[in-house]
Structures are given as C-alpha cells and as structure tokens.
Amino acid sequence: MIADCSALILAGGLSTRMGVDKTSLEFEGQTLLQRAIDRMRDIFPEVIVSVRAHRNDVDLPQVVDETVGGGPVAGMCSGLAASRTPWLFAIAADMPYADQATIIRLAQYRSDDFQAIIPVVNGHPQPLFGFYRTEALPIFRSVLAGNGKRSLRSALSQLQVHWVDEALLRPGDPELRSFTDLDTPADLDLIRKD
C-alpha cells in the first residue's frame, strides 16, 4: 500500500476514436473501468474516479471536470483538489495491463525535490501513468484557465519533473505492457488476440 498517495482514474474522455465509451468495454470479464478500479484499490488507500458527469455504476468518490472540454487537464484539476494525500497517481482508465509492481517501482522515485514523477517509454512521456504532488494544483489550474494549449505536456513544462527511463521499469514489466492504452477498435482487437 502506498499510504501517502491517492489514485485518480481518468474516465471522462469522449472516446471519439473508439466510437463507444471505452470505460464500459469488456476485457477479460470486466469493464476497463472496473479493472482499473480493482487494481488501484489494492495499492492506494483512496481511489477517485474522474468523470464528465456522475456515474451510477461507480461506488467510489467521483470528481467532475472543473471545466467542460478541458480534457485530462480538467480531470487532473478536479482530482488534485479532491485528494486527501500529498501525492496523486493519475492513470487512464483504458490501460488494461497496468501492473501494480510497476506502479510501486515508479513510486520509489518520489521525493520533495519533484512535483511529478513521469515514465518515458519509447521516447514518449507517459503523463497518464504518473505521480503528481497535490501542491501542483495551481499550475494545472493556470494551464486550464490559460489561452494556450490545455495539455498535460504544457503543465509538465511548468513542473519540476523526475523523468523515469523505461529501463528502470523493465525489471517488473519486461515488455512494458503497463503502458498499452486502447484508443481504437483495432487496439482492442489486438489485445483480445493476445
């Protein structure tokens, strides 16, 4: 259990490329959202679900985006504001292979010197599989309210970030499957064939 950290499952996306609500898709007998909830409950004392509108099928605390159309930044703002712990682990609901050991390994890189701990896989930052200090909320709110791009990358550019190379995460997840996300029906078909 990572006692000083809450988990935020981002489940408020529009799923436009998938064509249906991704979080309701079934994989290995569970919806993607329930799969994420079960995995996060095992390692965090508090689990929050970020949604566009309240969902009756979720029995956990829910936060609704502070700004309509604000994307993941809006979800992060609501989650950081609701968290009762100094750290928040943010994860997208469409990552069916999120490995608990990999999350725990990533948590070891947290320190007072950083506001975010973000893995870099195949040269790409993975902000929706990362740890954030709740004190970073004002920066996220500034990005959300600004006239510029409302992106997680924009927020990260203003934070003190510890970038964690994929090589440090491979011991527990050799193929880095934790970072597989599902954006299209083809992505879903591919993992169902595995």
Side-chain angles (χ1 to χ4, degrees):
M1 182 77 59
I2 304 173
D4 64 343
C5 186
S6 302
L8 175 68
I9 301 171
L10 290 143
L14 296 174
S15 302
T16 50
R17 288 184 284 172
M18 187 65 76
V20 297
D21 176 12
K22 288 193 275 192
T23 66
S24 298
L25 294 173
E26 289 216 1
F27 178 66
E28 294 185 353
Q30 287 183 299
T31 65
L32 290 178
L33 179 56
Q34 190 59 51
R35 187 176 172 90
I37 287 170
D38 288 351
R39 287 174 180 230
M40 295 307 106
R41 274 184 167 156
D42 286 346
I43 52 177
F44 296 103
E46 176 182 55
V47 180
I48 304 164
V49 181
S50 170
V51 295
R52 281 191 317 276
H54 183 81
R55 293 176 60 146
N56 293 328
D57 63 332
V58 175
D59 66 345
L60 290 169
Q62 299 176 51
V63 292
V64 178
D65 291 354
E66 289 188 5
T67 301
V68 175
V73 174
M76 287 294 300
C77 286
S78 297
L80 287 165
S83 177
R84 295 180 301 208
T85 57
W87 285 92
L88 183 77
F89 177 73
I91 186 166
D94 67 346
M95 301 177 88
Y97 297 118
D99 177 65
Q100 294 167 339
T102 300
I103 295 167
I104 292 166
R105 182 180 295 275
L106 186 64
Q108 295 171 358
Y109 294 95
R110 296 175 303 145
S111 78
D112 291 340
D113 297 331
F114 299 104
Q115 296 168 304
I117 311 300
I118 307 297
V120 179
V121 177
N122 294 324
H124 300 287
Q126 303 293 317
L128 294 183
F129 194 102
F131 285 92
Y132 298 86
R133 288 190 69 83
T134 52
E135 71 183 22
L137 177 59
I139 292 171
F140 279 92
R141 283 193 170 143
S142 173
V143 169
L144 186 61
N147 295 325
K149 192 173 180 185
R150 293 176 174 170
S151 71
L152 290 174
R153 287 179 193 245
S154 180
L156 289 173
S157 72
Q158 300 176 52
L159 297 173
Q160 294 296 319
V161 179
H162 183 149
W163 303 101
V164 179
D165 187 83
E166 65 184 65
L168 298 171
L169 302 175
R170 281 190 187 275
D173 188 358
E175 297 175 17
L176 300 171
R177 292 184 76 189
S178 291
F179 303 96
T180 300
D181 64 338
L182 306 177
D183 292 322
T184 67
D187 293 339
L188 188 62
D189 288 344
L190 193 61
I191 67 162
R192 284 180 170 160
K193 289 176 184 172
D194 278 353

